[in-house]
Amino acid sequence: MSGTPELFNRKDFYRCLQCAICTGSCPAARVIEGFNPREYILKYILYGEQEELLKSDMIWCCTTCQICQERCPHGIDISGFLIHIMNLAAERGNLPEEILKEIRLIAETGRSIKPTAHTVRIREELGLKALEQPDTEEIRNILREAGLKGMLDQK
Amino acid sequence: MKISLFTGCVIPIRYPGMEVSIRELAGKLGIELVDMKFSCCPSPTGLKEVHFDSWLTLAARNLSLAEDQGLDIVTTCSGCANTLRETACILKNNTGKLLSVRKVLSRYEMDLKGTGKIFNLPELLARDEYLDLMEEKLINPLINMRIGTHYGCHYLRPASVMLDREQDTYFPLPETMELVLESLGAEVMEYSRQELCCGAALSINTGRSEEALQITAEKLGWMNEAEINALAVTCPACFTQFDTGQALLKRKNRNMRTIPVFHIAELAAYALGSDPGRLNLNTHKIKPHFL
Ligand code: SF4
Ligand code: SF4
């Protein structure tokens, strides 16, 4: 398991008023029906309904904009909590294809997007140097040793 | 000044013109940029959500590369800035994390002491010396530009890490871009809810692009209400969301008012005399005709 729990203090969440300033400020909640950080806190921390939440694909709609915690009257680290939930969900195999692809690309090329022939040509035309080639083997090994192993292997 | 340049993945691949802007601008201001074999930052909206420790360790590797050369880092993307600064901050305050990161890095003969600093481009540009220099060297002042700024969430939050100050919900913006744009001769405008999200991550991460565009459209509404005629950003992901986003929204509503979008480096380089063609400004989806 990746080490997110130590980055937020569970006890902080016991002070949650359920006032919903977080959800009211949240850009994702405005456009995605059912995405609701206030309710996630209620379910996960206060009710202990954990598995249900970890199976939901909705949690990935968080943009990590952090306006929720900036506005929370108790300064609760809601975004850190959601990162934790997403880490747990990913470990159980619940993560969007888009993100998985991006991570595998980083492990393969060191970058999160792939240069095309067009990129190479335009860079040349503009007089830019060719892209630096990161040490992909080292990057891959570091990711594995930091614990990402399983995710890079499963196909 | 000599500093290592962290462009991130998006700029050199999708927006090479922005990279030209950054380099030409640095040249004009006497900033020596050093290129290093950095990897993806990695993104605060990607790997961090999936495997926190891998995110932290790969980011630490990037920090270590610059530190090894005794260089600070300048970033040109709000996401990269967020990852690198937060990583530096976590490793400074959490000994356990620092130890495990160093253990991995040491296998590749790398170390991290945390001596290097990470700056966002506008943060550097907003220093008095560079503001003065830009005023002095101004060739194409940004007149007729009623410009708004969008910093991007990850430039701003958490304030303790990104702005080195307590958060302030009444004054959430650092105003570094405002200072730069004023010295370039633009009229800087305010608009409602300036500090809110552009929506990009929702679309990138989950493919829910329609919903992400609704977030963007709402922000554009507030910008239009303030009648801005240009938008300055510090982040290529926000750039895509507003530039390509407006092009997509316009397909549905032909009469929609559009606002040209610029990376702050593009505007600064242009104002200091770079040729718009070399900066590839004509590849923007929303054409900046008035330049
Ligand atoms: S804003 Fe803070 S206190 Fe209010 S519901 Fe959200 S987390 Fe709880
Ligand atoms: S960080 Fe996530 S939950 Fe919080 S306001 Fe932003 S999108 Fe919503």
Side-chain angles (χ1 to χ4, degrees):
Chain A
M1 168 59 206
S2 188
T4 43
E6 47 193 300
L7 295 174
F8 77 93
N9 186 350
R10 198 179 177 89
K11 283 197 182 134
D12 285 351
F13 288 77
Y14 299 160
R15 285 182 291 143
C16 171
L17 304 164
Q18 289 290 303
C19 70
I21 288 177
C22 49
T23 302
S25 309
C26 172
R30 275 185 84 77
V31 299
I32 304 283
E33 216 182 306
F35 183 84
N36 187 336
R38 177 201 57 78
E39 195 180 283
Y40 295 160
I41 292 171
L42 185 69
K43 284 188 172 167
Y44 194 84
I45 307 263
L46 307 176
Y47 286 178
E49 282 176 32
Q50 310 191 349
E51 289 308 318
E52 185 202 340
L53 193 56
L54 297 181
K55 282 184 201 138
S56 152
D57 69 334
M58 201 77 93
I59 54 176
W60 294 96
C61 292
C62 171
T63 68
T64 73
C65 75
Q66 304 183 38
I67 195 77
C68 48
Q69 67 194 49
E70 183 163 280
R71 291 186 177 173
C72 168
H74 274 325
I76 294 175
D77 183 357
I78 308 158
S79 186
F81 158 72
L82 282 166
I83 296 271
H84 171 61
I85 299 279
M86 288 187 264
N87 268 248
L88 284 176
E91 196 185 37
R92 288 161 166 73
N94 166 18
L95 80 163
E97 196 56 36
E98 287 84 353
I99 303 188
L100 187 57
K101 266 195 206 148
E102 182 189 299
I103 291 172
R104 288 189 174 149
L105 198 59
I106 296 173
E108 198 185 310
T109 68
R111 292 199 171 86
S112 60
I113 46 180
K114 225 183 192 143
T116 59
H118 179 74
T119 314
V120 175
R121 189 168 49 79
I122 298 285
R123 288 186 63 86
E124 246 176 53
E125 279 173 20
L126 293 174
L128 289 167
K129 279 193 297 188
L131 288 170
E132 292 278 355
Q133 218 32 67
D135 185 342
T136 50
E137 199 185 316
E138 182 177 297
I139 289 165
R140 222 166 12 248
N141 288 337
I142 285 180
L143 288 175
R144 278 178 202 280
E145 282 165 35
L148 194 62
K149 207 163 184 278
M151 214 159 294
L152 298 177
D153 294 336
Q154 61 187 259
K155 276 274 148 149
Chain B
M1 176 200 289
K2 189 172 167 186
I3 195 161
S4 78
L5 172 64
F6 199 100
T7 60
C9 302
V10 183
I11 287 181
I13 294 177
R14 294 237 173 92
Y15 301 116
M18 282 180 198
E19 186 178 326
V20 175
S21 314
I22 295 159
R23 295 186 188 282
E24 294 213 348
L25 175 64
K28 290 174 201 292
L29 298 178
I31 301 173
E32 185 186 342
L33 297 174
V34 180
D35 298 314
M36 315 202 71
K37 295 187 175 187
F38 292 126
S39 68
C40 177
C41 56
S43 168
T45 60
L47 188 54
K48 185 184 185 186
E49 296 178 353
V50 169
H51 197 275
F52 190 88
D53 285 346
S54 301
W55 167 79
L56 191 75
T57 314
L58 194 55
R61 175 186 177 272
N62 285 325
L63 295 179
S64 161
L65 290 177
E67 189 185 277
D68 187 52
Q69 300 295 310
L71 294 173
D72 292 337
I73 293 175
V74 59
T75 61
T76 52
C77 162
S78 304
C80 301
N82 191 271
T83 281
L84 299 179
R85 280 173 87 133
E86 193 167 336
T87 297
C89 184
I90 290 169
L91 296 179
K92 193 168 151 202
N93 296 312
N94 187 328
T95 322
K97 290 276 184 213
L98 178 64
L99 284 176
S100 51
V101 162
R102 286 176 80 177
K103 197 170 143 199
V104 176
L105 293 183
S106 70
R107 288 186 203 132
Y108 303 91
E109 288 163 24
M110 278 187 270
D111 194 14
L112 190 66
K113 297 188 188 68
T115 48
K117 291 201 169 60
I118 301 110
F119 299 101
N120 242 310
L121 180 66
E123 227 174 350
L124 276 193
L125 298 180
R127 288 184 184 174
D128 286 344
E129 52 178 314
Y130 294 123
L131 292 177
D132 291 347
L133 207 54
M134 285 190 287
E135 272 177 36
E136 219 173 90
K137 296 189 168 226
L138 197 55
I139 290 175
N140 300 313
L142 304 178
I143 37 170
N144 303 327
M145 215 182 248
R146 295 162 47 86
I147 195 159
T149 61
H150 171 86
Y151 283 85
C153 306
H154 297 95
Y155 189 111
L156 303 171
R157 293 182 279 273
S160 59
V161 176
M162 298 311 295
L163 305 179
D164 295 320
R165 62 160 162 84
E166 288 287 298
Q167 70 179 48
D168 182 339
T169 35
Y170 294 100
F171 298 99
L173 305 180
E175 309 217 308
T176 44
M177 279 213 277
E178 279 73 6
L179 286 171
V180 173
L181 292 165
E182 272 167 13
S183 77
L184 299 175
E187 184 187 351
V188 180
M189 309 291 290
E190 283 180 13
Y191 60 90
S192 179
R193 300 166 177 86
Q194 222 166 322
E195 79 278 24
L196 296 195
C197 182
C198 68
L202 177 59
S203 155
I204 296 168
N205 281 355
T206 71
R208 290 171 165 91
S209 46
E210 284 299 317
E211 290 86 345
L213 272 181
Q214 283 176 39
I215 298 176
T216 320
E218 195 169 23
K219 271 212 85 153
L220 287 164
W222 298 320
M223 292 172 191
N224 278 316
E225 192 183 83
E227 296 183 345
I228 68 170
N229 64 13
L231 178 69
V233 298
T234 60
C235 173
C238 302
F239 177 88
T240 305
Q241 195 60 23
F242 285 115
D243 187 50
T244 307
Q246 287 185 89
L248 292 171
L249 288 165
K250 203 171 162 67
R251 276 189 205 163
K252 287 184 209 149
N253 176 5
R254 295 208 152 272
N255 300 322
M256 190 183 103
R257 179 180 184 268
T258 53
I259 305 168
V261 190
F262 302 92
H263 192 284
I264 185 112
E266 294 176 322
L267 287 172
Y270 166 77
L272 299 192
S274 287
D275 168 48
R278 261 194 62 67
L279 305 182
N280 228 12
L281 293 180
N282 54 359
T283 56
H284 290 196
K285 300 249 173 6
I286 305 302
K287 301 296 173 208
H289 8 255
F290 48 86
L291 289 191

Short mmCIF file of all heavy atoms in Angstrom, two decimals, chain B residues 1-8 11 22 25-26 31-36 38 63 66 71-77 80-81 84-85 116-125 127 130 263:
data_model
loop_
_atom_site.label_atom_id
_atom_site.label_comp_id
_atom_site.label_asym_id
_atom_site.label_seq_id
_atom_site.Cartn_x
_atom_site.Cartn_y
_atom_site.Cartn_z
N MET B 1 21.46 35.10 -14.11
CA MET B 1 20.97 33.96 -13.33
C MET B 1 21.03 32.67 -14.17
O MET B 1 20.73 32.68 -15.35
CB MET B 1 19.52 34.21 -12.92
CG MET B 1 18.93 33.01 -12.19
SD MET B 1 17.15 32.96 -12.19
CE MET B 1 16.82 34.27 -11.09
N LYS B 2 21.42 31.61 -13.50
CA LYS B 2 21.47 30.31 -14.16
C LYS B 2 20.49 29.40 -13.41
O LYS B 2 20.56 29.29 -12.18
CB LYS B 2 22.90 29.78 -14.06
CG LYS B 2 23.18 28.56 -14.87
CD LYS B 2 24.68 28.26 -14.83
CE LYS B 2 24.97 26.87 -15.37
NZ LYS B 2 26.37 26.50 -15.20
N ILE B 3 19.60 28.76 -14.13
CA ILE B 3 18.56 27.96 -13.47
C ILE B 3 18.15 26.80 -14.38
O ILE B 3 18.24 26.93 -15.62
CB ILE B 3 17.35 28.89 -13.12
CG1 ILE B 3 16.41 28.23 -12.12
CG2 ILE B 3 16.61 29.34 -14.37
CD1 ILE B 3 15.50 29.21 -11.40
N SER B 4 17.74 25.70 -13.81
CA SER B 4 17.35 24.58 -14.67
C SER B 4 15.87 24.72 -15.06
O SER B 4 15.03 25.08 -14.24
CB SER B 4 17.64 23.24 -14.00
OG SER B 4 16.66 22.95 -13.06
N LEU B 5 15.61 24.45 -16.33
CA LEU B 5 14.25 24.64 -16.87
C LEU B 5 13.48 23.33 -16.80
O LEU B 5 13.92 22.31 -17.34
CB LEU B 5 14.34 25.11 -18.34
CG LEU B 5 13.01 25.15 -19.09
CD1 LEU B 5 12.06 26.18 -18.49
CD2 LEU B 5 13.23 25.45 -20.57
N PHE B 6 12.32 23.38 -16.15
CA PHE B 6 11.44 22.21 -16.10
C PHE B 6 10.20 22.53 -16.93
O PHE B 6 9.27 23.18 -16.47
CB PHE B 6 11.07 21.91 -14.64
CG PHE B 6 10.56 20.52 -14.44
CD1 PHE B 6 11.39 19.53 -13.94
CD2 PHE B 6 9.25 20.18 -14.79
CE1 PHE B 6 10.93 18.22 -13.79
CE2 PHE B 6 8.79 18.87 -14.64
CZ PHE B 6 9.63 17.90 -14.13
N THR B 7 10.20 22.05 -18.17
CA THR B 7 9.07 22.39 -19.06
C THR B 7 7.86 21.50 -18.84
O THR B 7 6.75 21.83 -19.19
CB THR B 7 9.44 22.22 -20.54
OG1 THR B 7 9.81 20.85 -20.74
CG2 THR B 7 10.55 23.13 -20.96
N GLY B 8 8.09 20.31 -18.23
CA GLY B 8 7.02 19.31 -18.17
C GLY B 8 6.87 18.63 -19.51
O GLY B 8 7.64 18.88 -20.45
N ILE B 11 4.30 21.02 -22.82
CA ILE B 11 4.81 22.14 -23.61
C ILE B 11 5.74 21.68 -24.75
O ILE B 11 5.48 22.00 -25.91
CB ILE B 11 5.46 23.21 -22.70
CG1 ILE B 11 4.35 23.94 -21.95
CG2 ILE B 11 6.32 24.19 -23.52
CD1 ILE B 11 4.81 25.04 -21.03
N ILE B 22 9.56 30.67 -24.09
CA ILE B 22 10.27 30.61 -22.82
C ILE B 22 11.76 30.87 -23.04
O ILE B 22 12.38 31.66 -22.33
CB ILE B 22 10.05 29.23 -22.16
CG1 ILE B 22 8.58 29.04 -21.80
CG2 ILE B 22 10.95 29.06 -20.93
CD1 ILE B 22 8.17 27.59 -21.62
N LEU B 25 12.43 34.52 -24.28
CA LEU B 25 12.22 35.44 -23.16
C LEU B 25 13.41 35.39 -22.20
O LEU B 25 13.95 36.43 -21.80
CB LEU B 25 10.93 35.05 -22.42
CG LEU B 25 10.62 35.82 -21.16
CD1 LEU B 25 10.39 37.29 -21.46
CD2 LEU B 25 9.39 35.23 -20.46
N ALA B 26 13.83 34.18 -21.85
CA ALA B 26 14.95 34.03 -20.92
C ALA B 26 16.19 34.70 -21.51
O ALA B 26 16.91 35.42 -20.81
CB ALA B 26 15.21 32.55 -20.64
N ILE B 31 18.60 35.32 -18.52
CA ILE B 31 18.48 34.13 -17.67
C ILE B 31 19.04 32.94 -18.44
O ILE B 31 18.56 32.64 -19.55
CB ILE B 31 17.01 33.86 -17.29
CG1 ILE B 31 16.42 35.07 -16.54
CG2 ILE B 31 16.87 32.59 -16.45
CD1 ILE B 31 14.93 34.97 -16.26
N GLU B 32 20.01 32.27 -17.88
CA GLU B 32 20.58 31.10 -18.56
C GLU B 32 19.79 29.85 -18.13
O GLU B 32 19.77 29.49 -16.96
CB GLU B 32 22.06 30.94 -18.21
CG GLU B 32 22.71 29.80 -18.97
CD GLU B 32 24.15 29.54 -18.52
OE1 GLU B 32 24.75 30.43 -17.89
OE2 GLU B 32 24.65 28.44 -18.80
N LEU B 33 19.16 29.20 -19.12
CA LEU B 33 18.35 28.02 -18.81
C LEU B 33 19.17 26.76 -19.07
O LEU B 33 19.78 26.61 -20.12
CB LEU B 33 17.10 27.99 -19.70
CG LEU B 33 16.12 29.15 -19.52
CD1 LEU B 33 15.02 29.06 -20.56
CD2 LEU B 33 15.51 29.15 -18.11
N VAL B 34 19.18 25.86 -18.10
CA VAL B 34 19.93 24.61 -18.26
C VAL B 34 18.92 23.48 -18.45
O VAL B 34 17.97 23.34 -17.68
CB VAL B 34 20.80 24.34 -17.02
CG1 VAL B 34 21.57 23.04 -17.18
CG2 VAL B 34 21.75 25.51 -16.78
N ASP B 35 19.11 22.68 -19.51
CA ASP B 35 18.22 21.54 -19.76
C ASP B 35 18.75 20.30 -19.09
O ASP B 35 19.94 20.02 -19.15
CB ASP B 35 18.11 21.29 -21.27
CG ASP B 35 17.51 22.48 -21.98
OD1 ASP B 35 16.51 23.00 -21.49
OD2 ASP B 35 18.06 22.89 -23.02
N MET B 36 17.87 19.54 -18.47
CA MET B 36 18.30 18.31 -17.81
C MET B 36 17.39 17.17 -18.25
O MET B 36 16.33 17.40 -18.79
CB MET B 36 18.23 18.49 -16.30
CG MET B 36 18.81 19.83 -15.89
SD MET B 36 19.33 19.86 -14.19
CE MET B 36 20.72 18.85 -14.30
N PHE B 38 15.07 15.45 -17.19
CA PHE B 38 13.96 15.24 -16.26
C PHE B 38 12.95 14.25 -16.86
O PHE B 38 12.80 14.16 -18.07
CB PHE B 38 13.23 16.56 -16.01
CG PHE B 38 14.02 17.59 -15.25
CD1 PHE B 38 14.19 18.87 -15.76
CD2 PHE B 38 14.57 17.29 -14.00
CE1 PHE B 38 14.90 19.83 -15.05
CE2 PHE B 38 15.28 18.25 -13.30
CZ PHE B 38 15.45 19.52 -13.82
N LEU B 63 14.04 16.43 -8.56
CA LEU B 63 14.65 17.44 -7.69
C LEU B 63 16.14 17.16 -7.52
O LEU B 63 16.97 18.06 -7.52
CB LEU B 63 13.97 17.45 -6.31
CG LEU B 63 12.50 17.87 -6.27
CD1 LEU B 63 11.97 17.79 -4.84
CD2 LEU B 63 12.33 19.29 -6.81
N ALA B 66 18.52 18.30 -10.40
CA ALA B 66 18.86 19.73 -10.40
C ALA B 66 19.78 20.05 -9.23
O ALA B 66 20.76 20.79 -9.38
CB ALA B 66 17.59 20.57 -10.33
N LEU B 71 21.59 23.66 -8.91
CA LEU B 71 20.69 24.60 -9.56
C LEU B 71 19.28 24.60 -8.95
O LEU B 71 18.79 23.56 -8.53
CB LEU B 71 20.57 24.26 -11.05
CG LEU B 71 21.83 24.43 -11.90
CD1 LEU B 71 21.58 23.90 -13.30
CD2 LEU B 71 22.25 25.90 -11.93
N ASP B 72 18.65 25.77 -8.92
CA ASP B 72 17.22 25.84 -8.63
C ASP B 72 16.46 25.49 -9.90
O ASP B 72 17.05 25.36 -10.96
CB ASP B 72 16.85 27.26 -8.18
CG ASP B 72 17.46 27.60 -6.81
OD1 ASP B 72 17.76 26.66 -6.05
OD2 ASP B 72 17.63 28.80 -6.52
N ILE B 73 15.14 25.35 -9.76
CA ILE B 73 14.32 24.95 -10.90
C ILE B 73 13.29 26.03 -11.20
O ILE B 73 12.70 26.60 -10.29
CB ILE B 73 13.57 23.62 -10.57
CG1 ILE B 73 14.57 22.47 -10.44
CG2 ILE B 73 12.50 23.30 -11.60
CD1 ILE B 73 13.93 21.15 -10.01
N VAL B 74 13.08 26.30 -12.51
CA VAL B 74 11.94 27.14 -12.88
C VAL B 74 10.97 26.27 -13.68
O VAL B 74 11.36 25.53 -14.58
CB VAL B 74 12.35 28.41 -13.67
CG1 VAL B 74 13.10 28.09 -14.95
CG2 VAL B 74 11.12 29.25 -13.99
N THR B 75 9.69 26.32 -13.30
CA THR B 75 8.67 25.52 -13.98
C THR B 75 7.79 26.43 -14.82
O THR B 75 7.62 27.61 -14.50
CB THR B 75 7.75 24.79 -12.98
OG1 THR B 75 7.09 25.78 -12.20
CG2 THR B 75 8.52 23.88 -12.08
N THR B 76 7.22 25.85 -15.88
CA THR B 76 6.36 26.64 -16.76
C THR B 76 4.98 26.00 -16.86
O THR B 76 4.26 26.22 -17.83
CB THR B 76 7.00 26.74 -18.16
OG1 THR B 76 7.32 25.41 -18.59
CG2 THR B 76 8.26 27.57 -18.12
N CYS B 77 4.65 25.19 -15.88
CA CYS B 77 3.36 24.49 -15.85
C CYS B 77 2.93 24.43 -14.39
O CYS B 77 3.74 24.08 -13.52
CB CYS B 77 3.53 23.09 -16.42
SG CYS B 77 2.20 21.94 -16.02
N CYS B 80 3.37 20.87 -12.77
CA CYS B 80 4.76 20.53 -12.41
C CYS B 80 5.17 21.29 -11.16
O CYS B 80 5.81 20.73 -10.25
CB CYS B 80 5.72 20.92 -13.53
SG CYS B 80 5.41 20.14 -15.11
N ALA B 81 4.84 22.57 -11.11
CA ALA B 81 5.22 23.39 -9.95
C ALA B 81 4.64 22.78 -8.69
O ALA B 81 5.31 22.64 -7.66
CB ALA B 81 4.69 24.81 -10.13
N LEU B 84 6.47 19.41 -7.74
CA LEU B 84 7.84 19.58 -7.26
C LEU B 84 7.87 20.31 -5.92
O LEU B 84 8.62 19.93 -5.01
CB LEU B 84 8.69 20.29 -8.31
CG LEU B 84 8.82 19.55 -9.65
CD1 LEU B 84 9.65 20.35 -10.63
CD2 LEU B 84 9.43 18.15 -9.46
N ARG B 85 7.05 21.33 -5.78
CA ARG B 85 7.07 22.06 -4.50
C ARG B 85 6.48 21.24 -3.38
O ARG B 85 6.98 21.25 -2.26
CB ARG B 85 6.32 23.39 -4.63
CG ARG B 85 7.18 24.43 -5.30
CD ARG B 85 6.41 25.67 -5.57
NE ARG B 85 6.43 26.57 -4.44
CZ ARG B 85 6.69 27.87 -4.55
NH1 ARG B 85 6.97 28.39 -5.71
NH2 ARG B 85 6.66 28.64 -3.49
N GLY B 116 17.64 22.80 -3.01
CA GLY B 116 17.19 23.54 -4.20
C GLY B 116 15.82 24.17 -4.01
O GLY B 116 15.00 23.68 -3.25
N LYS B 117 15.58 25.27 -4.72
CA LYS B 117 14.28 25.91 -4.68
C LYS B 117 13.56 25.72 -6.02
O LYS B 117 14.21 25.54 -7.05
CB LYS B 117 14.44 27.41 -4.43
CG LYS B 117 14.92 27.75 -3.03
CD LYS B 117 14.54 29.19 -2.72
CE LYS B 117 14.76 29.51 -1.27
NZ LYS B 117 16.18 29.35 -0.86
N ILE B 118 12.23 25.78 -5.95
CA ILE B 118 11.44 25.62 -7.16
C ILE B 118 10.61 26.89 -7.37
O ILE B 118 9.85 27.27 -6.49
CB ILE B 118 10.49 24.41 -7.05
CG1 ILE B 118 11.30 23.14 -6.82
CG2 ILE B 118 9.64 24.26 -8.31
CD1 ILE B 118 11.13 22.57 -5.44
N PHE B 119 10.78 27.52 -8.53
CA PHE B 119 10.03 28.74 -8.83
C PHE B 119 9.12 28.51 -10.01
O PHE B 119 9.44 27.80 -10.94
CB PHE B 119 10.98 29.89 -9.18
CG PHE B 119 11.93 30.25 -8.09
CD1 PHE B 119 13.25 29.81 -8.12
CD2 PHE B 119 11.50 31.01 -7.02
CE1 PHE B 119 14.13 30.14 -7.10
CE2 PHE B 119 12.37 31.35 -5.99
CZ PHE B 119 13.70 30.91 -6.02
N ASN B 120 7.99 29.18 -9.96
CA ASN B 120 7.12 29.27 -11.11
C ASN B 120 7.61 30.41 -11.98
O ASN B 120 8.07 31.42 -11.45
CB ASN B 120 5.72 29.62 -10.61
CG ASN B 120 4.76 28.54 -10.93
OD1 ASN B 120 4.70 28.10 -12.08
ND2 ASN B 120 4.00 28.11 -9.95
N LEU B 121 7.49 30.29 -13.31
CA LEU B 121 8.01 31.35 -14.17
C LEU B 121 7.50 32.75 -13.76
O LEU B 121 8.30 33.67 -13.60
CB LEU B 121 7.68 31.05 -15.65
CG LEU B 121 8.18 32.08 -16.64
CD1 LEU B 121 9.71 32.12 -16.68
CD2 LEU B 121 7.63 31.82 -18.03
N PRO B 122 6.18 32.93 -13.59
CA PRO B 122 5.72 34.29 -13.23
C PRO B 122 6.33 34.81 -11.92
O PRO B 122 6.56 36.01 -11.78
CB PRO B 122 4.20 34.12 -13.07
CG PRO B 122 3.86 32.91 -13.84
CD PRO B 122 5.04 32.01 -13.77
N GLU B 123 6.61 33.88 -11.02
CA GLU B 123 7.22 34.27 -9.75
C GLU B 123 8.59 34.92 -9.98
O GLU B 123 8.95 35.89 -9.33
CB GLU B 123 7.42 32.99 -8.95
CG GLU B 123 6.99 33.01 -7.55
CD GLU B 123 7.14 31.59 -6.98
OE1 GLU B 123 7.39 30.63 -7.74
OE2 GLU B 123 7.02 31.45 -5.81
N LEU B 124 9.35 34.32 -10.89
CA LEU B 124 10.66 34.89 -11.23
C LEU B 124 10.49 36.23 -11.92
O LEU B 124 11.14 37.21 -11.58
CB LEU B 124 11.41 33.97 -12.21
CG LEU B 124 12.21 32.79 -11.71
CD1 LEU B 124 13.07 32.29 -12.86
CD2 LEU B 124 13.08 33.17 -10.53
N LEU B 125 9.59 36.23 -12.93
CA LEU B 125 9.41 37.44 -13.73
C LEU B 125 8.94 38.62 -12.89
O LEU B 125 9.20 39.77 -13.21
CB LEU B 125 8.41 37.19 -14.87
CG LEU B 125 8.79 36.12 -15.91
CD1 LEU B 125 7.69 36.01 -16.95
CD2 LEU B 125 10.12 36.46 -16.57
N ARG B 127 9.93 39.53 -10.10
CA ARG B 127 10.96 40.18 -9.29
C ARG B 127 11.24 41.57 -9.84
O ARG B 127 11.22 41.76 -11.06
CB ARG B 127 12.26 39.37 -9.34
CG ARG B 127 12.17 38.08 -8.57
CD ARG B 127 13.52 37.41 -8.62
NE ARG B 127 13.47 36.12 -7.96
CZ ARG B 127 14.48 35.26 -7.96
NH1 ARG B 127 15.60 35.57 -8.59
NH2 ARG B 127 14.37 34.12 -7.32
N TYR B 130 13.48 41.98 -12.95
CA TYR B 130 12.96 41.58 -14.25
C TYR B 130 11.81 42.48 -14.70
O TYR B 130 11.65 42.74 -15.89
CB TYR B 130 12.55 40.10 -14.24
CG TYR B 130 13.75 39.20 -14.07
CD1 TYR B 130 13.82 38.29 -13.02
CD2 TYR B 130 14.84 39.29 -14.94
CE1 TYR B 130 14.94 37.49 -12.84
CE2 TYR B 130 15.96 38.51 -14.77
CZ TYR B 130 16.01 37.61 -13.72
OH TYR B 130 17.12 36.83 -13.55
N HIS B 263 -0.07 31.58 -23.03
CA HIS B 263 0.83 31.32 -21.91
C HIS B 263 1.55 32.64 -21.63
O HIS B 263 1.90 33.36 -22.56
CB HIS B 263 1.84 30.22 -22.27
CG HIS B 263 2.60 29.70 -21.09
ND1 HIS B 263 3.61 30.40 -20.51
CD2 HIS B 263 2.46 28.55 -20.37
CE1 HIS B 263 4.09 29.70 -19.47
NE2 HIS B 263 3.40 28.58 -19.37
#
